[in-house]
């Protein structure tokens, strides 16, 4: 505000000097015009004088010509003189006309020079028409000129009489005629004298006017020059006074601004201190809350995996989910704090967009199934696989939008997640991400505030659906940092659509060679409003060749999988094709549709519902064709042979970390502060050290410093991992800079812990298959005919051996799981597991086992008793295993 005042003062000062300068120019021009007008009046009077001289000269010339006519001896000589006199009379009239209305008079002067006979003098005269005036030359001379013209017309007759009288010829001339001639010539001198007198008098008046004007103009010039100086001095004085006033105002405001600047600096310093205090508070709060959360989540996960009853496991899962939800709220608060302080940064890396999106879709497909929401995922196959962006931040945005869509969509509703390519130019792909739900919708007024922190459409939403109102604000900030903006389309009770597009850099090497070359038959569909069939085609392209019309399918020699959509109109065609190609059929669609259609259901071997994505299809393909699943390493545990030192002050977390690390096969030593950790490190040799940051007596960073100094002396090195609940931006970099090898945040995520252990204990990693200590282990797997399997699947014996080995590596655990399911007496799970085992046994030609499994698969329809089910299970064990 003060700065604006100074700016206004400077502007006023500039305007004042400018106006003063303009005023001086105007004054100078005004007085210059006055002087020019005075000079012009004198020049105009000189022109009038010259015109008077011209008139007097012409009168004298006319007089001379008249006398010439009086002296001629021949009458024919009179004509040229008459014409000349007429011209001279007209010249005088023209001169008088110039005096009346203004204009230019051309005065032709004859010179007796060879190089120039005639010179023209142009006389300019101006008349002020605004002032009424009389031209005395016109009043005095025009009547006399008319009289001369009249006499000129009589001159020829007069001269005839005169010549006849003077020629001594015997011509009779009356006395009257002689008197007439004498009177004519007697009047001429008098006429010319009067004309000359009038012209001379007018000429004399002009001369007097000139003298008077020249005298006055000198005085007036001096007067007006003094007046100009006076006005100029007056204007400069005003400008100077105004300038002094404005400068004083500016100086005063400048002093005020200096004071304000000092206060602002003090306020800024206080704000920085407050911000630092806020950051420290958030760090402390994060640490204090995350520490107990680490114990809650960790122990609840351990309980969920232990041998508890089903109800107790559910309670443990509820505890874990609730604690995780609280952790997410804390993360949101920390994120919005980072956004507000400008510490939220983007870190771009290259990643596979297709796999990235499938992970997100898989995660939220579980939630949609719980609410029976139809979750449709459409991915544009033209999108390149590898792009460059911030993978973590993009996941955060999509997760937030998807979770909101699922949260606000009612049971039996639908959520559409669509990713499509807008354009691809050079190495930049514009990709649109869109999430459309069938939720409660958002009014136009609420749409304006929906992206504000801690804001929801109205208070009832928070009460009914929960949430802090931070997710969209954080997501919008992330998308803006990525160069775009989240847009919203919504109507009350009809749902909402959140979408944004990003310009993403595409990797130059983006084409992946297909490793699988299977053949798929794609049936027709009656009603496909969701465009599921085309999307399925795009997904299947990654695994082989698609035959999607009747002619193409009929021409095919073999098909690996048939995908159908459950329309009963195609029952006969599907039955014929399944029998001909001897391949499994995958039903694509909602299970409710096929459950109500007894005709089609017996033909189905596998079920595929939305969302449809690559890994989901691959799992079916892997099971049907016994392919090694490279992405899922089943029945595999990580056992590490190493000694680990952990410094942790919280007793609950001590117990949790000890349980987790011992479960991974590690020898663990726990101490409660950094000082004890340093002393223990000097006493014993450890392969890896975990140091909590915030501990009493000595914190983790101080302990790290002492350990590193000790290592320099003893010339050894041990990886040290920062273990902390802090998650403020910059923590990781700070700890790594201090000398930590890596950073593990609380609550501890098992996958992250295993990655760290695998990295730093790489040479000591032992990967083993879990041994099931149960009565099933007492049996050996029945010998399987390799030649028969190879013939059945139509492949070489080498491939058959791999399939059999895969079957043997899984069947023990699968049977153990099946036994537990039977003990729980859940017929639906029994049916599903029996179906799964039947397909496995089909691949290795165990036909008798398949018959038993078919009976167990139909357990819900056949209403088998528990005892009957257990008997069939024992028979199945007998067929699959032989007693040692």
């Amino acid at each position: 505000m003060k700065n604006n005042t100074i700016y206004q003062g400077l502007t006023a000062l500039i305007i004042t000097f400018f106006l003063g300068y303009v005023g001086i120019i105007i004054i100078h021009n005004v007085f210059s015009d006055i002087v020019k007008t005075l000079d012009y009046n004198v020049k105009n009077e000189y022109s009038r004088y010259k015109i008077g001289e011209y008139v007097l000269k012409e009168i004298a010339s006319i007089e001379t010509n008249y006398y010439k006519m009086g002296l001629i001896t021949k009458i024919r000589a009179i004509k040229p003189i008459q014409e000349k006199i007429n011209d001279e009379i007209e010249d005088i009239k023209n001169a008088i006309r110039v005096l009346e209305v203004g204009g230019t008079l051309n005065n032709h002067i004859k010179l007796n020079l060879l190089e120039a006979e005639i010179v023209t003098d142009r006389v300019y005269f101006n008349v002020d028409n605004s002032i009424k005036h009389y031209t005395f030359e016109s009043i005095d001379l025009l009547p006399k000129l008319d009289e001369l013209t009249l006499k000129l017309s009589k001159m020829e007759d007069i001269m005839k009489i005169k010549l006849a009288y003077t020629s001594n010829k015997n011509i009779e001339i009356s006395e009257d005629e002689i008197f007439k001639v004498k009177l004519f010539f007697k009047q001429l001198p008098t006429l010319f004298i009067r004309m000359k007198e009038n012209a001379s008098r007018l000429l004399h008046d002009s001369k007097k006017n000139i003298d008077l004007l020249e005298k006055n103009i000198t005085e007036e010039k001096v007067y007006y020059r003094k007046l100009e100086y006076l006005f100029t001095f007056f204007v400069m004085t005003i400008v100077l006074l105004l300038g002094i006033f404005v400068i004083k105002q500016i100086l005063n405001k400048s002093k005020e601004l200096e004071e304000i600047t000092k206060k602002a600096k003090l306020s800024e310093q206080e704000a920085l201190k407050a911000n630092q205090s806020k950051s420290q508070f958030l760090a402390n709060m994060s640490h204090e809350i995350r520490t107990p959360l680490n114990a809650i989540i960790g122990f609840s996960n351990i309980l969920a995996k232990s041998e508890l009853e089903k109800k107790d496991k559910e309670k443990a899962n509820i505890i874990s989910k609730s604690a995780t939800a609280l952790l997410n709220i804390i993360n949101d608060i920390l994120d919005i704090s980072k956004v507000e302080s400008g510490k939220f940064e983007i870190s771009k890396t290259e990643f596979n967009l297709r796999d990235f999106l499938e992970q997100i879709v898989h995660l939220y497909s579980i939630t949609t199934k719980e609410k029976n929401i139809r979750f449709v995922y459409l991915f544009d196959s033209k999108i390149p696989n590898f792009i460059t962006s911030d993978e973590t931040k993009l996941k955060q945005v999509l997760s937030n939008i998807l979770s909101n869509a699922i949260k606000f969509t009612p049971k039996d509703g639908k959520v559409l997640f669509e990713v499509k390519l807008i354009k691809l130019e050079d190495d930049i792909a514009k990709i649109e991400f869109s999430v459309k739900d069938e939720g409660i919708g958002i009014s136009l007024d609420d749409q304006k505030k929906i992206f504000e922190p801690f804001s929801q459409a109205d208070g009832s939403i928070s009460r009914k659906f929960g949430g802090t109102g931070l997710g969209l604000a954080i997501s919008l900030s992330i998308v803006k940092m990525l160069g775009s903006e989240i847009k919203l389309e919504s109507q009350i009770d009809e749902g909402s659509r959140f979408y944004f597009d990003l310009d993403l850099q595409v990797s130059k090497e983006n084409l992946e060679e297909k490793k699988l070359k299977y053949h798929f038959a794609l049936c027709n569909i009656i009603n496909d409003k969701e465009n599921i069939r085309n999307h399925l085609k795009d997904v299947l392209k990654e695994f082989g060749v698609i035959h999607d019309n009747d002619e193409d399918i009929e021409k095919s020699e073999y098909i690996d999988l048939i995908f159908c959509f459950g329309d009963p109109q195609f029952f006969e065609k599907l039955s014929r094709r399944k029998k001909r190609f001897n391949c499994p059929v995958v039903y694509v669609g909602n299970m409710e549709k096929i459950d109500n259609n007894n005709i089609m259901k017996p033909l189905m071997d596998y079920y595929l519902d939305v969302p449809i994505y690559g890994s989901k299809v691959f799992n079916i393909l892997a099971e049907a064709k016994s392919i090694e699943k490279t992405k899922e390493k089943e029945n595999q545990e990580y056992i590490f042979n190493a000694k680990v030192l952990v410094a942790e002050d919280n007793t609950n977390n001590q117990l949790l970390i000890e349980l987790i690390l011992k479960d991974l096969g590690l020898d663990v030593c726990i101490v409660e502060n950094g000082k004890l950790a340093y002393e223990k490190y000097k006493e014993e040799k450890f392969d890896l050290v975990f140091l909590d940051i915030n501990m009493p007596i000595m914190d983790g960073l101080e302990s790290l410093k002492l350990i590193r100094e000790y290592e320099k002396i003893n010339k050894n090195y041990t990886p040290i991992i920062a273990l902390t609940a802090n998650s403020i931006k910059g923590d990781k970099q700070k700890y790594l800079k201090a000398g930590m090898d890596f950073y593990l945040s609380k609550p501890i995520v098992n996958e992250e812990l295993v990655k760290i252990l695998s990295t730093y204990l790489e040479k000591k990693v032992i990967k083993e298959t879990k041994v099931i200590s149960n009565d099933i282990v007492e049996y050996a797997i029945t010998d399987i005919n390799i030649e028969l399997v190879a013939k059945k699947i139509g492949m070489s014996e080498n491939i058959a051996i791999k399939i059999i080995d895969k079957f043997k590596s899984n069947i023990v655990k699968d049977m153990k799981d099946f036994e537990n399911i039977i003990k729980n007496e859940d017929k639906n799970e029994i049916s599903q597991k029996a179906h799964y085992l039947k397909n496995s046994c089909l691949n290795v030609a165990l036909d008798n086992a398949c018959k038993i499994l078919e009976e167990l698969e139909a357990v819900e329809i056949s209403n088998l008793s528990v005892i009957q089910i257990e008997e069939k299970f024992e028979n199945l064990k007998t067929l699959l295993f032989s007693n040692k």
Side-chain angles (χ1 to χ4, degrees), residues 14 72 185 280 287 319 323 333 338 377 422 433 449 523 637 733 774 792 826 854:
I14 293 169
I72 63 170
F185 281 105
Q280 188 60 44
H287 181 271
I319 295 171
I333 294 171
K338 293 174 189 176
Y377 167 59
I422 305 298
F433 300 85
K449 62 181 181 180
C523 297
E637 293 292 335
Q733 290 76 7
N774 204 284
K792 184 175 182 66
D826 188 331
E854 280 182 2

Side-chain angles (χ1 to χ4, degrees), residues 553-798:
I553 294 171
E554 294 303 324
K555 287 181 180 179
S556 300
E557 294 182 3
Y558 60 90
I559 296 291
D560 294 290
L561 281 178
I562 299 174
F563 290 85
C564 81
F565 301 92
D567 296 309
Q569 295 90 328
F570 306 117
F571 173 75
E572 293 183 2
K573 189 183 293 185
L574 180 62
S575 301
R576 186 174 68 254
R577 287 174 180 170
K578 182 176 183 179
K579 185 176 181 181
R580 175 192 166 190
F581 295 114
N582 190 27
C583 66
V585 176
V586 181
Y587 166 66
V588 183
N590 195 331
M591 286 291 293
E592 292 181 0
K593 179 180 177 182
I594 198 71
D595 284 340
N596 297 329
N597 187 348
N598 292 327
I599 299 176
M600 299 294 285
K601 188 174 181 179
L603 296 177
M604 306 305 163
D605 299 286
Y606 299 98
Y607 300 93
L608 177 64
D609 198 2
V610 293
I612 297 172
Y613 47 91
S615 59
K616 202 171 183 180
V617 172
F618 178 78
N619 288 339
I620 294 174
L621 183 61
E623 188 173 332
K625 308 302 290 183
S626 296
I627 304 170
E628 183 72 26
K629 298 182 184 180
T630 58
K631 294 183 181 180
E632 295 180 4
K633 300 179 180 180
E634 297 177 352
N635 305 323
Q636 201 171 65
E637 293 292 335
Y638 288 84
I639 304 298
F640 297 89
N641 182 18
K643 190 173 183 179
V644 178
L645 172 63
V646 179
E648 166 65 58
D649 62 315
N650 185 284
T651 54
N652 292 331
N653 284 336
Q654 286 177 0
L655 178 58
L656 175 64
I657 293 169
E658 186 177 11
L659 287 173
I660 293 172
L661 293 177
K662 283 186 175 180
D663 190 51
L664 291 169
L666 293 166
D667 182 6
V668 185
C669 177
I670 304 287
V671 294
E672 60 263 26
N673 60 62
K675 185 179 180 182
L676 292 176
Y678 172 61
E679 292 173 354
K680 200 72 176 176
Y681 182 82
K682 291 192 295 180
E683 293 173 3
E684 300 180 31
K685 181 176 176 56
F686 295 96
D687 299 295
L688 191 65
V689 177
F690 288 93
L691 291 179
D692 189 18
I693 298 299
N694 297 320
M695 292 183 292
I697 303 175
M698 181 183 289
D699 63 25
L701 293 177
E702 185 64 28
S703 179
L704 169 72
K705 185 179 178 181
L706 293 174
I707 291 172
R708 292 302 186 214
E709 289 175 355
Y710 176 78
E711 287 178 337
K712 286 180 182 178
I713 297 171
N714 292 274
K715 296 182 180 180
N716 67 323
Y717 188 88
T718 303
I720 300 177
I721 311 300
L723 183 64
T724 179
N726 292 345
S727 62
I728 299 297
K729 176 179 169 48
D731 284 347
K732 182 177 180 180
Q733 290 76 7
K734 181 173 72 176
Y735 301 147
L736 294 178
K737 190 176 180 180
M740 296 287 187
D741 291 275
F742 210 76
Y743 171 98
L744 183 62
S745 178
K746 299 176 188 176
I748 296 171
V749 178
N750 194 61
E751 289 79 3
E752 295 297 324
L753 175 61
V754 169
K755 283 182 183 178
I756 292 172
L757 295 176
S758 299
T759 301
Y760 295 102
L761 305 175
E762 187 175 359
K763 294 180 180 179
K764 300 181 178 67
V765 175
I766 305 170
K767 296 180 181 178
E768 296 180 346
T769 302
K770 261 191 177 180
V771 179
I772 301 171
S773 57
N774 204 284
D775 56 343
I776 290 180
V777 183
E778 297 174 0
Y779 297 87
I781 299 172
T782 303
D783 290 336
I784 299 173
N785 191 323
I786 298 172
E787 185 179 350
L788 181 63
V789 173
K791 184 177 180 181
K792 184 175 182 66
I793 62 175
M795 294 185 181
S796 67
E797 290 188 3
N798 289 332

Side-chain angles (χ1 to χ4, degrees), residues 22-189:
V22 171
I24 291 170
I25 292 174
I26 292 171
I27 291 170
H28 176 73
N29 289 336
V30 168
F31 286 105
S32 294
D33 289 341
I34 293 171
V35 173
K36 285 179 181 178
T37 303
L38 292 173
D39 289 336
Y40 179 76
N41 290 337
V42 174
K43 288 179 182 179
N44 207 44
E45 198 60 40
Y46 268 113
S47 297
R48 183 185 182 86
Y49 182 78
K50 282 187 177 183
I51 293 171
E53 284 181 334
Y54 175 78
V55 170
L56 189 61
K57 185 193 73 169
E58 290 297 314
I59 291 171
S61 179
I62 292 171
E63 183 181 13
T64 301
N65 287 325
Y66 260 99
Y67 290 141
K68 281 181 181 180
M69 283 191 296
L71 298 174
I72 63 170
T73 57
K74 293 181 181 180
I75 196 71
R76 65 175 178 273
I78 199 171
K79 201 70 176 174
I81 298 172
Q82 278 183 322
E83 291 176 356
K84 189 174 181 181
I85 290 170
N86 276 327
D87 289 340
E88 289 172 339
I89 290 170
E90 285 301 319
D91 287 341
I92 292 172
K93 287 182 177 180
N94 183 52
I96 292 170
R97 195 177 301 111
V98 170
L99 289 172
E100 287 180 330
V101 298
T104 304
L105 176 68
N106 295 319
N107 181 16
H108 303 290
I109 302 170
K110 292 182 179 181
L111 301 174
N112 292 323
L113 298 172
L114 293 173
E115 60 272 14
E117 293 182 0
I118 298 174
V119 175
T120 302
D121 181 21
R122 289 182 174 84
V123 181
Y124 301 97
F125 183 74
N126 186 48
V127 176
D128 189 356
N129 294 319
S130 64
I131 302 173
K132 189 175 182 180
H133 67 283
Y134 299 97
T135 307
F136 294 103
E137 292 85 345
S138 174
I139 297 169
D140 291 339
L141 293 177
L142 284 179
K144 293 177 178 61
L145 289 173
D146 291 338
E147 188 177 347
L148 280 176
T149 302
L150 181 62
K151 286 185 178 297
L152 187 62
S153 65
K154 296 177 181 180
M155 191 67 181
E156 188 174 351
D157 294 333
I158 295 296
M159 288 305 296
K160 285 180 181 180
I161 295 170
K162 181 184 178 185
L163 289 173
Y165 176 71
T166 58
S167 63
N168 295 323
K169 291 183 179 180
N170 295 325
I171 300 172
E172 294 184 3
I173 300 171
S174 66
E175 290 292 330
D176 291 336
E177 288 175 333
I178 292 170
F179 177 77
K180 185 178 179 181
V181 171
K182 290 180 179 181
L183 181 63
F184 180 84
F185 281 105
K186 191 176 182 179
Q187 289 175 340
L188 280 176

Side-chain angles (χ1 to χ4, degrees), residues 179-328:
F179 177 77
K180 185 178 179 181
V181 171
K182 290 180 179 181
L183 181 63
F184 180 84
F185 281 105
K186 191 176 182 179
Q187 289 175 340
L188 280 176
T190 305
L191 178 62
F192 281 112
I193 288 169
R194 289 201 306 270
M195 289 179 70
K196 287 178 180 179
E197 286 177 352
N198 290 334
S200 297
R201 179 173 53 80
L202 295 172
L203 198 64
H204 176 70
D205 291 341
S206 290
K207 180 62 176 166
K208 284 175 65 178
N209 287 337
I210 290 170
D211 293 339
L212 182 63
L213 284 171
E214 285 182 340
K215 181 181 178 181
N216 292 338
I217 195 172
T218 303
E219 295 175 355
E220 288 183 359
K221 280 183 177 180
V222 173
Y223 169 75
Y224 285 121
R225 190 69 65 192
K226 291 179 178 178
L227 199 60
E228 180 182 354
Y229 292 151
L230 182 63
F231 275 103
T232 301
F233 176 76
F234 177 74
V235 170
M236 288 300 295
T237 302
I238 293 174
V239 170
L240 185 61
L241 292 174
L242 286 173
I244 292 170
F245 173 76
V246 172
I247 289 170
K248 284 184 176 179
Q249 292 294 318
I250 291 173
L251 291 174
N252 291 334
K253 297 299 180 184
S254 180
K255 288 180 181 178
E256 291 180 14
L257 183 61
E258 287 178 5
E259 292 177 1
I260 292 169
T261 303
K262 289 179 181 177
K263 291 180 181 178
K265 286 182 178 179
L266 290 173
S267 299
E268 183 182 2
Q269 290 174 358
E270 290 175 0
L272 286 172
K273 288 180 181 178
N275 192 44
Q276 290 172 356
S277 299
K278 175 185 172 184
S279 298
Q280 188 60 44
F281 166 75
L282 288 172
N284 293 337
M285 182 196 74
S286 172
H287 181 271
E288 294 303 321
I289 297 177
R290 282 170 176 267
T291 298
L293 275 178
N294 179 50
I296 294 169
I297 293 173
F299 280 116
S300 60
N301 288 337
I302 290 173
L303 287 172
K305 293 177 182 178
S306 62
E307 296 293 331
L308 292 175
E309 291 185 6
K310 189 174 182 180
K311 290 181 180 180
D312 294 329
K313 284 186 177 183
E314 288 177 358
K315 291 174 183 177
N317 285 326
I318 291 171
I319 295 171
S320 179
K321 287 180 180 179
S322 300
T324 304
L326 179 57
L327 182 64
N328 291 334

